[in-house]
Amino acid sequence: MINNPAQLTGMVLNGAHGIYDVHTDNGIMRCTLRGKLKKAFAQANTAKAIGKVRQTQQQRANKYSTSNEVERTERIEKHDSSETPAPVRLSVGDYVVIRKLDETTGLIEEILPRKSELSRLDAGSNANKLVQQTLLANLNQVVVVFATAQPDPHFGLLDRYLTICESAQLMPVICINKADLPHEDYVEEAIELYSQLGYTVIRSSTHTEEGIAQLREILKDHTTLFTGPSGVGKSSLVNAIEPGMALRTGLVSDVTGKGRHTTTGSQLYPLSKGGWLADSAGIRALATWNIAPEELAWCFREFRPYLGECFYSDCAHLDEEGCAICQAVDDGLINERRHRSYVRMYTGVER
Ligand SMILES: Nc1nc2c(ncn2[C@@H]2O[C@H](COP(=O)(O)OP(=O)(O)OP(=O)(O)O)[C@@H](O)[C@H]2O)c(=O)[nH]1
Ligand SMILES: [Mg+2]
Ligand SMILES: [Zn+2]
């Protein structure tokens, strides 16, 4: 509880160039970070790689990799409870305590603990310096958007999105947009596959309005992230769901005056029927953050019934003797392409 009248709590709606718009009971406040927080984030950026590489799994993984891919198979394990957690970097969706400077501006003094987050490995990471990029904090739903065509969907990439959602224990909804465009049979087959796996799959089109009402219903009273590759129509969907929304909010990106159409960072918008919706920039490559190798198989939901059934207790489910998951693939019970996605993610190939 805050008793100091100069302080307010709020939620970060967007941020760019060190300036953040924070939604508070006093309206939207334009804020900067307090110096102490800035310094903590700078240190977090240089945090060394956490966790250790599991030797046996590393060796198995190497079987599938060429030598310069080996490095990439190094994986990050969950933080040890003994480790001091690295300070989080401020993200859209974070709840913060701010000190009012005047009626419309403030200073962010504290970041409140997150209830949830969806993160990936920051594109600027390398083997010595792994950086977490949080796409949205305190969310409870993710809509992963792909298009039927233009750009053609890459379902191996969708599997990566699903994996990071499963790992964060956030139920993903799959939205296949541009349903109005002619598309290949494999797209319909994939829609069938993901529905069978238990995911909600919505076909949508901002041109014909197909699926828009269903999306509106799903978003009500949730804090949802719209994510997916660039150009699939995320921003168009946001506008179709809540017409004029982008115009109603004072966007920080206006500060640069570049007037780009392509989304550059996450932006949270209030929904008139209740809830929040975040549009995010398109993501080309998606590397997982903080998913241990032994957790990866669990993130493929159809593998779960077979976990613990393999001959070797430390089975990596790649192509080992007595692997229950590989057997299920051979028997046609697990989709072969999904298993290939798993192998690629496990071995770090095609990151
Ligand atoms: N045919 C068709 N085109 C669409 C549809 N939705 C969006 N588009 C077009 O697809 C292009 C990209 O749309 P955006 O909404 O900017 O895509 P985005 O996913 O936000 O892209 P980034 O911000 O770069 O990540 C635009 O030219 C839209 O007009 C649709 O349902 N059908
Ligand atoms: Mg966009
Ligand atoms: Zn196995």
Side-chain angles (χ1 to χ4, degrees):
M1 275 327 282
I2 297 169
N3 299 317
N4 185 341
Q7 281 189 325
L8 283 169
T9 50
M11 181 170 67
V12 178
L13 298 183
N14 54 48
H17 313 288
I19 303 167
Y20 302 88
D21 283 339
V22 181
H23 172 85
T24 72
D25 287 344
N26 266 31
I28 294 175
M29 306 280 288
R30 188 150 283 192
C31 300
T32 52
L33 281 176
R34 193 179 150 188
K36 204 174 104 185
L37 282 176
K38 260 191 223 158
K39 205 169 144 198
F41 299 147
Q43 279 164 355
N45 265 336
T46 55
K48 64 175 174 39
I50 50 166
K52 357 166 226 317
V53 178
R54 300 259 305 198
Q55 273 309 319
T56 48
Q57 282 167 335
Q58 178 73 51
Q59 281 153 6
R60 274 207 212 94
N62 291 354
K63 253 191 358 189
Y64 292 83
S65 320
T66 60
S67 57
N68 54 1
E69 277 156 356
V70 169
E71 238 180 24
R72 294 195 293 173
T73 66
E74 294 189 11
R75 302 209 168 261
I76 315 153
E77 295 200 326
K78 293 272 184 221
H79 284 289
D80 248 352
S81 51
S82 60
E83 264 177 57
T84 348
V88 288
R89 288 201 287 168
L90 188 62
S91 157
V92 171
D94 267 322
Y95 289 102
V96 292
V97 177
I98 60 177
R99 183 151 54 86
K100 272 171 77 173
L101 295 177
D102 59 34
E103 279 313 303
T104 56
T105 63
L107 202 58
I108 297 173
E109 300 206 304
E110 194 188 336
I111 304 171
L112 300 175
R114 288 176 186 167
K115 292 194 193 83
S116 65
E117 62 182 13
L118 195 76
S119 299
R120 66 163 178 163
L121 193 62
D122 191 280
S125 300
N126 59 42
N128 299 318
K129 187 178 127 187
L130 300 172
V131 182
Q132 174 183 13
Q133 185 196 17
T134 300
L135 303 173
L136 186 64
N138 299 314
L139 71 171
N140 56 12
Q141 187 169 250
V142 182
V143 176
V144 185
V145 187
F146 275 70
T148 59
Q150 297 176 26
D152 284 339
H154 177 7
F155 291 112
L157 182 58
L158 173 59
D159 291 333
R160 283 182 180 272
Y161 278 101
L162 298 179
T163 300
I164 64 166
C165 294
E166 295 280 2
S167 170
Q169 307 212 13
L170 290 162
M171 187 62 180
V173 171
I174 300 169
C175 174
I176 307 290
N177 192 38
K178 308 199 187 186
D180 56 286
L181 294 178
H183 53 270
E184 307 273 348
D185 289 346
Y186 81 94
V187 178
E188 289 301 322
E189 285 160 19
I191 291 174
E192 181 65 30
L193 166 67
Y194 290 104
S195 307
Q196 276 171 7
L197 295 180
Y199 293 112
T200 301
V201 186
I202 299 175
R203 272 192 195 75
S204 68
S205 167
T206 60
H207 290 191
T208 65
E209 292 264 306
E210 179 181 352
I212 303 299
Q214 197 184 350
L215 281 167
R216 258 186 221 125
E217 202 49 45
I218 278 183
L219 300 183
K220 200 169 169 295
D221 297 331
H222 286 97
T223 300
T224 307
L225 173 71
F226 265 44
T227 186
S230 189
V232 296
K234 297 179 296 298
S235 300
S236 309
L237 282 167
V238 169
N239 278 315
I241 289 162
E242 192 89 16
M245 175 141 66
L247 300 174
R248 283 217 312 268
T249 38
L251 305 180
V252 161
S253 47
D254 293 347
V255 169
T256 65
K258 284 185 184 149
R260 289 194 191 178
H261 293 295
T262 303
T263 315
T264 47
S266 297
Q267 309 264 0
L268 258 177
Y269 302 99
L271 293 164
S272 52
K273 286 189 175 170
W276 293 88
L277 172 55
D279 183 18
S280 64
I283 291 174
R284 262 166 166 270
L286 187 68
T288 55
W289 168 259
N290 221 5
I291 300 179
E294 54 275 21
E295 192 197 336
L296 188 61
W298 184 87
C299 293
F300 284 71
R301 44 176 41 222
E302 70 274 40
F303 293 9
R304 290 176 198 166
Y306 305 98
L307 295 175
E309 302 289 313
C310 303
F311 182 78
Y312 298 106
S313 60
D314 66 344
C315 186
H317 325 300
L318 300 174
D319 69 350
E320 295 85 339
E321 276 293 308
C323 171
I325 286 169
C326 300
Q327 187 61 52
V329 174
D330 288 346
D331 295 344
L333 299 169
I334 289 178
N335 178 277
E336 202 182 340
R337 192 192 54 71
R338 284 273 294 172
H339 183 249
R340 269 204 307 277
S341 279
Y342 165 81
V343 172
R344 286 203 189 102
M345 289 186 72
Y346 189 94
T347 57
V349 178
E350 215 191 65
R351 194 168 256 181

